Amino acid sequence: MGFARTCSVALVGVDGVVVEVQADLEPGLAAFTLVGLPDKTLTESRDRVRAALVNSGATWPQKKLTVGLSPASVPKSGAGFDLAVAVAVLGAAEVVDPAAIADLVLIGELGLDGRVRPVRGILPAVLAAAEAGYRNVVVPQQCAAEAMLVPDVSVLGVRSLRQLIAVLTGGEVPEEEPPDPLGRPDPMLAGLVVPGAGIGTGISRGRGPAEEGDTPDHPDLSDVAGQHGARRALEVAASGGHHLFLSGPPGAGKTMLAERIPWILPPLCRQDSLEVTAVHSVAGVLPPGEPLVARPPYCAPHHSATMQSLVGGGAGVPRPGAVSLAHRGVLFLDEAAEFSTKALDALRQPLESGHVVIARAAGVVRLPARFLMVLAANPCPCGRHTLLGAGCECPASVIRRYQARLSGPLLDRVDLRVEVEPVTRSDLLGRGGRGESTAAVADRVREARDRAAARLADTPWRLNAEVPGHELRTRWQAAPGALAQAERDLERGLLTARGLDRVLRVAWTVADLRGRDRPDALDVAVALELRTGIARGAALAMGAQA
């Protein structure tokens, strides 16, 4: 009779639970029993592990074999337990020392020939193991760079079970065949990226905003003709993390503006990079060769997206949706009025809390969802309602129904609402000069965020959009008399209580961009103009001062 145990990690969303993999050999009819609430993929590991061991030169024990996964109450899915099951069996058969593998965490899928295939979710799995106190981790060699992002953890990357057996027994480590010498993609990476799982996700690549004189390797704000008011709103949104609604006719540049927001945002800090990388790794959209996401992600789902694809869900254990894939980045909903009302209203809770909780029969998952939302919509089905002499033939009832698809409670959570006007001939032909580049705007955004970070240093918040209204009204007060116009709008019903709090947040962001210690009447007027869409001349005055 032999017994051995080792460890692996079960992922529930982006949270991991360390699982003890136990193998027990007893005299009797040769059989392989796997217990511990495995799913179909994990149940099939019996055949994969047996074939991998035999093809790696090891002898399969001809005894009654029972493999248990503890705790048994935690659902376990995926093929990432194969490596741990194989090593536990080798320990029970005394091929390797059971004491040497007792505190070893192993993650990886086994091929029938004994090769170790990479799996998704390596980073959150290793993070969970490190938090549980484990310091030695074995992962597929292709995922070793991702696992090494976790500090204070010793990572061993292996390409085959043969190599791991040699390491554990102290033998000579065999050389495995390298990837295709002709430069073709490594077939072992096929399981890392799931086609269609990104839901319109694009991880921002490149070196960031270009320096003066350089050619940018990403969409640049200087490419946008005109739209000075919308560009100013983009700057405010990026500086304070405020949600933005762009409304205007087709061809005005709404999509161009939204696509350039990730590049005026500062690069992710180390903690944010780990959070974003963990979500993308679990979702299967982490590009091979890029273990750490350094730039804010950009997610633009099609308007036919379902509620589950936006907030997360699916059969079995819920998976990240668009709001989680856009964590610490930008969620762009183009043609927002074409989305289903049910899907849009599902965004109301994550917009407030910064996370989404999905309850399914297989379990409850909490996923991060702190994103900057940008909505873009036409004023009517034909898009010509706001154009003078353009011949809009949409009936008034159709226009009302079309605009009502964006519910009041959802728009109440949007801080900035901007009318994007058609581009004039002089702007389009460049007679008015090119607008500022992404690098220039990104510098001001970074400076404004630094001022906000210094003010919020001893608080749980980092951006003005995250600060509760009560704190802004009591702890950080605006200049005397600055809120007079906002208070009148509240009494007239132009603002809700939530709307007044959001005006205060935007006013603080405008003050940070102007380099002021606290908002004055002009800052609040700019915030009101951006919030209500009612022109008050404040934005022009701000631009003249700049």
Side-chain angles (χ1 to χ4, degrees):
M1 182 176 69
F3 175 83
R5 65 180 181 87
T6 188
C7 299
S8 191
V9 179
L11 287 177
V12 182
V14 294
D15 298 321
V17 179
V18 176
V19 173
E20 189 176 87
V21 181
Q22 303 170 340
D24 179 70
L25 280 175
E26 296 181 357
L29 185 64
F32 188 173
T33 304
L34 182 65
V35 297
L37 206 58
D39 70 344
K40 178 65 174 177
T41 304
L42 185 49
T43 302
E44 293 174 348
S45 68
R46 294 177 297 188
D47 300 317
R48 291 194 300 270
V49 170
R50 182 187 292 109
L53 283 175
V54 172
N55 291 325
S56 298
T59 302
W60 183 258
Q62 297 300 318
K63 296 181 180 180
K64 180 181 179 182
L65 172 62
T66 304
V67 175
L69 308 175
S70 299
S73 59
V74 176
K76 304 163 190 74
S77 61
F81 292 88
D82 288 1
L83 197 58
V85 171
V87 172
V89 172
L90 291 173
E94 299 183 351
V95 176
V96 300
D97 184 8
I101 63 173
D103 294 324
L104 192 62
V105 177
L106 301 108
I107 306 167
E109 177 185 346
L110 286 176
L112 299 184
D113 57 355
R115 289 185 298 173
V116 180
R117 302 182 62 92
V119 294
R120 301 190 302 271
I122 288 291
L123 178 59
V126 177
L127 282 170
E131 292 175 358
Y134 293 88
R135 293 294 174 260
N136 297 303
V137 180
V138 179
V139 298
Q141 189 181 63
Q142 296 89 339
C143 302
E146 183 180 344
M148 289 178 183
L149 297 173
V150 182
D152 303 325
V153 173
S154 176
V155 178
L156 173 63
V158 295
R159 291 189 66 87
S160 69
L161 185 58
R162 285 183 293 270
Q163 288 184 337
L164 181 56
I165 294 174
V167 171
L168 294 176
T169 58
E172 183 179 354
V173 179
E175 291 290 338
E176 295 294 340
E177 294 182 4
D180 196 308
L182 299 179
R184 290 176 293 191
D186 187 353
M188 300 292 285
L189 300 175
L192 284 182
V193 180
V194 180
I199 318 174
T201 299
I203 297 179
S204 305
R205 296 180 177 86
R207 62 179 180 269
E211 301 295 335
E212 185 175 356
D214 291 345
T215 300
D217 57 350
H218 54 77
D220 196 87
L221 266 175
S222 60
D223 300 332
V224 180
Q227 304 302 352
H228 304 292
R231 291 167 62 99
R232 190 176 300 111
L234 252 67
E235 188 173 338
V236 173
S239 300
H242 306 286
H243 306 304
L244 174 63
F245 176 38
L246 300 173
S247 176
K254 302 185 294 295
T255 302
M256 287 186 67
L257 289 165
E259 289 175 345
R260 284 149 178 79
I261 293 181
W263 298 104
I264 63 177
L265 295 174
L268 299 175
C269 66
R270 177 72 177 186
Q271 181 61 35
D272 290 347
S273 292
L274 291 176
E275 291 178 2
V276 174
T277 303
V279 174
H280 285 73
S281 178
V282 169
V285 295
L286 190 64
E290 297 184 21
L292 185 66
V293 179
R295 297 290 311 173
Y298 174 80
C299 190
H302 191 260
H303 58 76
S304 61
T306 62
M307 182 180 69
Q308 288 77 16
S309 66
L310 283 181
V311 301
V317 178
R319 304 193 64 80
V323 296
S324 297
L325 295 172
H327 180 58
R328 301 298 180 187
V330 179
L331 175 65
F332 177 45
L333 302 182
D334 200 3
E335 304 294 346
E338 301 293 342
F339 282 78
S340 71
T341 304
K342 183 178 180 181
L344 289 176
D345 286 342
L347 300 176
R348 286 151 54 176
Q349 184 263 342
L351 285 175
E352 289 287 337
S353 62
H355 63 267
V356 58
V357 178
I358 307 171
R360 296 291 187 271
V364 178
V365 173
R366 184 181 187 273
L367 299 170
R370 179 75 64 184
F371 56 90
L372 191 162
M373 182 180 70
V374 181
L375 303 172
N378 297 326
C380 68
C382 75
R384 301 190 297 269
H385 175 59
T386 57
L387 299 178
L388 295 178
C392 174
E393 299 179 355
C394 300
S397 59
V398 173
I399 296 175
R400 285 195 301 269
R401 283 197 303 269
Y402 188 81
Q403 295 178 350
R405 293 181 182 179
L406 300 177
S407 66
L410 175 65
L411 290 180
D412 200 35
R413 291 166 167 82
V414 178
D415 298 347
L416 312 176
R417 308 173 189 175
V418 179
E419 291 287 339
V420 182
E421 301 294 337
V423 181
T424 64
R425 182 174 59 180
S426 60
D427 286 333
L428 187 61
L429 298 179
R431 296 172 183 171
R434 297 186 67 185
E436 285 185 299
S437 66
T438 293
V441 178
D443 288 340
R444 291 199 298 270
V445 170
R446 184 178 62 253
E447 293 173 0
R449 286 202 172 198
D450 289 343
R451 294 190 187 97
R455 182 173 62 251
L456 304 173
D458 298 327
T459 70
W461 314 293
R462 291 187 293 175
L463 297 175
N464 292 324
E466 302 173 4
V467 183
H470 173 74
E471 298 289 338
L472 294 177
R473 293 191 298 271
T474 57
R475 186 171 177 179
W476 295 290
Q477 297 184 354
L483 293 176
Q485 182 62 52
E487 293 171 355
R488 287 195 292 270
D489 285 357
L490 179 65
E491 293 177 353
R492 294 164 57 192
L494 296 177
L495 283 178
T496 63
R498 181 192 286 119
L500 180 61
D501 289 344
R502 293 186 175 274
V503 166
L504 273 173
R505 296 171 183 170
V506 176
W508 271 105
T509 300
V510 176
D512 289 334
L513 285 169
R514 296 177 62 203
R516 302 183 61 84
D517 294 333
R518 59 176 177 170
D520 58 14
L522 177 59
D523 299 325
V524 176
V526 171
L528 281 170
E529 186 170 322
L530 292 173
R531 169 74 183 182
T532 62
I534 301 176
R536 306 165 191 260
L540 294 177
M542 177 186 170
Q545 289 189 6

